[in-house]
Amino acid sequence: MLVDGFGREVNYLRISVTERCNFRCQYCMPEKPFSWVPKENIMSYEDMFKFVKVAIDNGVNKIRITGGEPLLREGLDSFIKMIHDYKNDIDLALTTNGYLLPSAAQNLKNAGLKRINVSLDSLKKEVAHHVAQKDVLATVLDGLDEASKAGLKVKINCVPMKDVNGGEIIDILEYCMERKYPVRYIEYMENSFASSDLKGFKSADLLELIATKYKFKKVPRENSSPAQYYELENGYQFGIIEPYGDDFCESCNRIRLTAEGFLIPCLYFEDALSIKESIENNDIDGACKILDTVLANKPEKNKWSQDEDGEVSSRAFYETGG
Ligand code: SAM
Ligand code: SF4
C-alpha cells in the first residue's frame, strides 16, 4: 500500500502521456506557436508501464490517462491494453478534449478503457472556436456520441468563464442531463500560462445561476472526489470542483506522472522528482525510493488554498494533466 506522510492512502495515479495539444485553450496554453519538449525527453510507454506495474503492485487501483491531449500520442490504445491486461479490474479512465474521439473511441473501449472525461466549454460554434482557438465543436460532439455508442462512461468537464461561456451554464447542464453525462464545472484556476484577461466563476455564482431554473440539494461528498455534487429533483447530478478550497485535500489519494517522467505529489506544489533515468536503467528499486520521497513530500493541503499573497501558479496544466 502507498501511504503519504499524513497517513493518506494513495491508490490513484494520473499519467500525462504528452504535453502536446491540438487545441490552444485560453485557460491552458493560448500561445501559438508553442515550444514542445523534444520527443527524446518523453518517457516511452514501455518505461511508463514499468512504473505502472510497481504502482499497481502497491495498491493503485485507479489510473487516469491525460495530457496535453493524450489522443495525439501514437500507440495510446496499446498502452491502455498493457495496463488492462496486467490488471483488468483497474478503474481505467481518460481525459481528452474529444477532437480525435470519433475514430478512436471504439479502439479505446476495445483496449480496456472504461471511462472518459471530455472537456466541453461551449455548445456554440464561435465560442468553442474562441476558447480552443480552432473550429472544434462539431467534431467534439461527434466524438461524444461515438464514445457513448462504444459503451464508454462519459463525464463532461467545463470551465465557466465570465464574458465567454458564462451564459451557457444551464444549456450545458441540459445538454448533459439529456444524455445522462454528469457535468463537472471546474473553477478557472489562474496560472501564468493562461490568457491574462480571463475571469472565472466561483462555485457560489454557478449555484446561484443554476438555482434560477432548477432546485437541487447537496450530495454528501464521496471520499477523495475533488468535486462537490448536487442533485436535481429528477435525480440528475452535476458537480463543481473548487480548487481554491481544500475540502478534498484531507482525503487526497492521488499522485501524478508527467510525460517527462516527473512524479508530482500535488498539483499545486512545485516538488517533483524524476524517475525517468532510474526506470530507463531498469533500476526499479531506485524508482521506488524516489516514489517514497515524493509520497513523503506530499503536502497536507494544496498550495493555492494556503496562498495569502495571491501568487499565480507556474505549474502548467498541459504538463500535469490537470
Ligand atoms: N486535453 C485534455 C482536456 O482538455 O480534457 C486533457 C488535459 S487538460 C489539461 C485536463 C483538464 O484541465 C481539462 O478538463 C481542462 O478543462 C482543465 N484545465 C486546464 N486548464 C485549466 C485551468 N486554468 N483552470 C481550470 N481547469 C483547467
Ligand atoms: Fe489542450 Fe486540454 Fe490544455 Fe485545452 S485544456 S489546451 S485541450 S491540454
Side-chain angles (χ1 to χ4, degrees):
M1 189 198 289
L2 302 177
V3 179
D4 76 5
F6 295 93
R8 292 170 296 196
E9 187 186 344
V10 171
N11 61 0
Y12 179 12
L13 173 66
R14 294 177 66 101
I15 306 174
S16 172
V17 294
T18 179
E19 94 296 2
R20 294 177 188 229
C21 193
N22 45 357
F23 288 14
R24 291 291 177 278
C25 298
Q26 302 285 350
Y27 46 69
C28 182
M29 51 158 86
E31 268 173 51
K32 304 194 251 196
F34 212 84
S35 51
W36 305 118
V37 172
K39 287 219 163 111
E40 60 271 22
N41 291 9
I42 300 298
M43 258 180 122
S44 68
Y45 278 139
E46 287 69 27
D47 284 344
M48 281 183 167
F49 182 56
K50 288 181 202 163
F51 180 73
V52 165
K53 285 194 284 189
V54 169
I56 292 177
D57 292 348
N58 284 283
V60 164
N61 54 21
K62 180 171 175 182
I63 294 181
R64 176 171 295 278
I65 313 286
T66 176
E69 176 43 46
L71 295 181
L72 277 183
R73 183 160 172 186
E74 252 176 65
L76 183 67
D77 41 1
S78 307
F79 181 50
I80 286 173
K81 188 167 167 15
M82 281 185 221
I83 300 173
H84 177 261
D85 288 352
Y86 190 67
K87 195 162 194 300
N88 62 17
D89 61 350
I90 206 106
D91 180 1
L92 198 46
L94 174 82
T95 301
T96 170
N97 61 30
Y99 194 76
L100 297 172
L101 264 185
S103 56
Q106 189 62 58
N107 289 343
L108 292 167
K109 172 70 181 162
N110 295 347
L113 190 72
K114 297 192 171 71
R115 300 187 296 113
I116 198 154
N117 286 16
V118 180
S119 298
L120 181 71
D121 295 317
S122 176
L123 292 166
K124 293 184 181 157
K125 178 180 159 78
E126 297 73 24
V127 178
H129 192 153
H130 167 73
V131 174
Q133 301 193 65
K134 179 167 172 167
D135 183 12
V136 296
L137 184 63
T139 313
V140 171
L141 295 183
D142 196 18
L144 275 167
D145 290 343
E146 290 305 320
S148 242
K149 267 191 235 156
L152 291 164
K153 281 194 185 158
V154 176
K155 273 190 192 167
I156 301 295
N157 289 340
C158 172
V159 180
M161 293 161 278
K162 291 191 174 148
D163 305 321
V164 181
N165 58 355
E168 293 186 69
I169 305 302
I170 290 185
D171 294 345
I172 292 173
L173 183 87
E174 290 174 345
Y175 170 88
C176 294
M177 194 176 352
E178 270 168 34
R179 290 161 182 78
K180 300 191 169 54
Y181 304 153
V183 58
R184 286 137 19 117
Y185 300 101
I186 310 176
E187 283 184 357
Y188 165 60
M189 305 176 224
E190 282 181 40
N191 66 92
S192 56
F193 301 89
S195 293
S196 55
D197 55 350
L198 284 185
K199 298 264 175 299
F201 280 79
K202 290 287 169 230
S203 165
D205 308 331
L206 293 168
L207 293 174
E208 204 178 307
L209 240 161
I210 295 169
T212 59
K213 185 154 179 190
Y214 291 101
K215 282 196 179 138
F216 52 81
K217 60 174 193 248
K218 207 171 182 172
V219 175
R221 204 178 194 120
E222 231 177 69
N223 225 6
S224 77
S225 165
Q228 171 63 58
Y229 277 92
Y230 299 85
E231 187 169 305
L232 305 191
E233 287 178 315
N234 63 8
Y236 174 75
Q237 293 193 354
F238 68 91
I240 300 185
I241 299 181
E242 291 180 62
Y244 288 94
D246 55 22
D247 284 358
F248 51 83
C249 296
E250 206 177 311
S251 57
C252 182
N253 62 344
R254 60 195 64 191
I255 48 167
R256 293 171 163 80
L257 175 66
T258 71
E260 286 181 277
F262 285 98
L263 274 181
I264 300 181
C266 172
L267 184 56
Y268 312 106
F269 263 73
E270 309 308 322
D271 293 332
L273 294 175
S274 176
I275 54 163
K276 186 167 182 282
E277 205 181 315
S278 307
I279 294 276
E280 275 172 3
N281 294 330
N282 272 319
D283 176 11
I284 303 300
D285 286 347
C288 287
K289 281 196 186 115
I290 294 168
L291 172 60
D292 287 345
T293 309
V294 167
L295 287 171
N297 283 347
K298 190 167 163 64
E300 187 177 16
K301 289 184 173 184
N302 79 60
K303 184 180 171 188
W304 286 354
S305 61
Q306 295 174 333
D307 230 3
E308 280 159 12
D309 54 11
E311 193 188 316
V312 172
S313 173
S314 60
R315 182 61 34 91
F317 278 82
Y318 54 85
E319 275 172 7
T320 59

